[in-house]
Amino acid sequence: MASINEADKHIVSELDQMAGRLEKVREAIGRVIFGQSEVIDLSLTAILAGGHGLLVGAPGLAKTKLATTLGRVLGLEEKRIQFTPDLMPADILGSEVLDESEHGRRQFRFVPGPVFCQLLMADEINRASPRTQSALLQAMQEHHITVAGVRHDLPRPFHVLATQNPIEQEGTYPLPEAQLDRFLVEIDIPYPALDAERRMLFATTGTEEDEAPTVLTSGELMKIQHLVRLMPVGEQVADAILSVVRAARPGKEADDFVNKTIGWGPSPRASQALMLGSRARALLGGRLSPSIDDVLALVGPVFRHRMALTFSARADGETIDSVIDRLKTRLS
């Protein structure tokens, strides 16, 4: 029987090996997505932690291209749904159809919808009705759906990358807090820097476009996700996570600034997201254990969609990011 030390050495060896593979993953994605290294790392962090990501950015910032490239590089079966106001839950989940055999016997057969994939691109998710949005809730949280009282398991791994356009809000349905909480991180996509846009200009207007190679298989990705959960986390890091999450919740234990500015704060899912995300971010950086710097880097993406400001705070010119920056200074 292997000793604890030998088991630890085996885990360390596997983490070192996978860290090298992940560096190749980042390089492969960077061949297609230019100048968005932070966005790429956050997207990979969400997937390595076993979660879902909400991509927020103006049109034309390669949100769909990013999801397609992630699917190819990570060896995942990828599908895309364009959310529209007339999209129905059955269009996502699938439905039962009545079949008739050669002998005249009739029976219902389930036809799977596009949610049966490993990486689902939910494009402009806030354009669909709340009924259709909620159809993803069970899938995102429990990795299975129920149609006509019958459970249907989704492929493993299963991840959702949803996009939102922050500019055009006419005819949209804001996502309810219950669904926003299912996303591990919110990934804000900025405009590219000058050098990156110059590279993009020449790379995408020629006769051929570069394609990212497949680096991992879905089985290897699941192995990495398992290793992420085995990574040790120091007490200081755990205390920092609990401290910043609990400090963002208004109530009797909160200070005057929090009670004045925050209407509702992050749920315990935020703590879980910071714990898993910090481990995944550390592995992406080639480290075997997360640090407080990993927590600080993820506070914004984890909190941004899990908090709401009070009316008085918005009237005073406060923003979610400015409040989060104040909370982060308590850990610095």
Side-chain angles (χ1 to χ4, degrees):
M1 184 175 180
S3 67
I4 295 178
N5 287 336
E6 289 175 343
D8 289 344
K9 288 179 181 178
H10 179 67
I11 293 174
V12 169
S13 175
E14 287 193 317
L15 286 171
D16 279 336
Q17 181 182 356
M18 291 306 175
R21 298 292 300 279
L22 290 175
E23 184 57 37
K24 294 181 180 178
V25 167
R26 296 166 79 185
E27 292 174 0
I29 299 173
R31 288 171 53 179
V32 178
I33 307 297
F34 304 111
Q36 299 283 14
S37 58
E38 185 175 349
V39 171
I40 293 171
D41 285 352
L42 276 175
S43 302
L44 286 172
T45 295
I47 292 175
L48 296 180
H52 313 287
L54 180 63
L55 305 173
V56 179
L61 294 182
K63 298 186 292 295
T64 304
K65 184 74 170 177
L66 172 63
T68 303
T69 304
L70 282 168
R72 176 188 291 273
V73 173
L74 298 176
L76 302 177
E77 180 192 1
E78 183 261 340
K79 292 183 181 178
R80 175 179 175 271
I81 302 175
Q82 177 63 53
F83 279 66
T84 57
D86 60 347
L87 194 72
M88 299 298 291
D91 298 327
I92 299 173
L93 306 180
S95 59
E96 289 195 324
V97 297
L98 185 61
D99 277 348
E100 184 173 348
S101 67
E102 297 178 357
H103 305 290
R105 183 180 178 184
R106 296 181 179 181
Q107 62 181 6
F108 284 100
R109 176 174 59 89
F110 177 68
V111 179
V115 75
F116 284 84
C117 64
Q118 294 174 315
L119 181 62
L120 178 65
M121 176 66 173
D123 214 352
E124 294 190 295
I125 190 174
N126 56 331
R127 290 209 173 277
S129 67
R131 181 184 176 190
T132 302
Q133 291 175 7
S134 65
L136 277 178
L137 282 176
Q138 185 183 30
M140 292 173 64
Q141 185 64 27
E142 301 176 21
H143 292 209
H144 71 262
I145 65 168
T146 304
V147 176
V150 179
R151 168 174 168 159
H152 300 276
D153 291 329
L154 297 175
R156 295 275 184 166
F158 174 72
H159 301 282
V160 174
L161 288 179
T163 70
Q164 279 194 154
N165 181 349
I167 300 173
E168 188 179 355
Q169 297 298 323
E170 184 177 350
T172 62
Y173 302 86
L175 269 68
E177 289 78 11
Q179 184 155 341
L180 285 172
D181 205 25
R182 260 73 173 181
F183 290 99
L184 189 115
V185 290
E186 177 184 310
I187 305 168
D188 288 351
I189 303 181
Y191 288 106
L194 175 61
D195 291 343
E197 192 162 3
R198 182 184 295 275
R199 285 180 60 202
M200 185 190 311
L201 186 64
F202 287 100
T204 59
T205 58
T207 56
E208 295 182 2
E209 287 190 39
D210 198 7
E211 286 190 356
T214 298
V215 178
L216 297 179
T217 64
S218 59
E220 289 174 324
L221 175 60
M222 292 179 67
K223 182 178 180 180
I224 295 174
Q225 291 172 339
H226 179 66
L227 287 172
V228 165
R229 289 177 174 267
L230 293 178
M231 290 179 70
V233 178
E235 288 295 328
Q236 286 185 329
V237 174
D239 289 343
I241 290 172
L242 292 171
S243 175
V244 72
V245 170
R246 297 181 68 83
R249 297 171 182 164
K252 294 180 180 179
E253 298 180 0
D255 57 30
D256 291 340
F257 171 76
V258 171
N259 283 326
K260 181 181 177 182
T261 58
I262 301 177
W264 52 269
S267 72
R269 280 200 186 100
S271 304
Q272 296 169 336
L274 283 175
M275 176 69 85
L276 290 171
S278 297
R279 287 167 163 167
R281 188 177 187 273
L283 184 57
L284 273 176
R287 290 172 281 112
L288 303 181
S289 182
S291 66
I292 292 180
D293 287 338
D294 293 312
V295 178
L296 287 170
L298 291 174
V299 169
V302 169
F303 279 16
R304 201 170 287 129
H305 58 296
R306 290 185 168 96
M307 294 172 55
L309 300 183
T310 61
F311 176 80
S312 61
R314 295 195 301 271
D316 291 340
E318 293 282 2
T319 64
I320 286 288
D321 286 332
S322 67
V323 172
I324 288 175
D325 287 341
R326 288 277 294 270
L327 295 172
K328 287 167 62 174
T329 57
R330 305 180 185 189
L331 293 182
S332 301

